[in-house]
Amino acid sequence: MTEFTQRALKIIAGIPAGHVMTYGQIAALAGSPRAARQIVRILHSMSKKHKLPWHRVINAQGKIGLQDLDSFTLQKMALESEGIVVSAAGEIELERYRFHPHVVNEPLF
């Protein structure tokens, strides 16, 4: 597993309930600002294994990025169950719900 992936997993795992982060925000904090698509891949392939709160990750426009209706609905319901207001179109108020973690230099795992 690469250092970038380890950092991304730690960041995603640390998103608290009732908050969201964007793919690009996670990529930047993990050390590669242009790797938002890598975050998508990490979430797709590692969410179950690492028990990641995948539903707390949205796109840079503040929207649920999933196109599949079942997945979209599942993410919307999961966010709403944590008190996040999500519009019918999947829009979330980023300024209100975005998580800004305090980054410190500590071991990844």
Side-chain angles (χ1 to χ4, degrees):
M1 183 180 311
T2 68
E3 250 185 71
F4 172 80
T5 299
Q6 290 176 353
R7 285 187 189 115
L9 290 172
K10 184 174 181 181
I11 293 164
I12 295 164
I15 304 170
H19 295 278
V20 296
M21 290 180 76
T22 67
Y23 300 104
Q25 180 186 8
I26 294 165
L29 286 170
S32 189
R34 299 184 60 157
R37 287 181 190 233
Q38 275 297 98
I39 302 304
V40 173
R41 183 196 61 78
I42 289 166
L43 285 169
H44 180 74
S45 64
M46 299 183 176
S47 285
K48 282 186 183 178
K49 179 180 179 181
H50 294 279
K51 298 178 181 162
L52 298 174
W54 62 270
H55 62 284
R56 297 180 188 146
V57 184
I58 60 174
N59 69 27
Q61 289 76 44
K63 295 181 181 180
I64 293 173
L66 300 171
Q67 302 300 313
D68 171 63
L69 181 59
D70 289 338
S71 299
F72 174 93
T73 302
L74 181 62
Q75 185 172 9
K76 184 177 186 296
M77 289 173 47
L79 291 170
E80 289 174 335
S81 75
E82 295 180 356
I84 296 173
V85 177
V86 184
S87 76
E91 299 164 331
I92 295 130
E93 190 179 332
L94 269 178
E95 294 308 311
R96 180 174 179 188
Y97 297 106
R98 186 193 304 252
F99 179 60
H100 297 281
H102 176 69
V103 180
V104 294
N105 293 324
E106 59 184 47
L108 299 175
F109 284 95

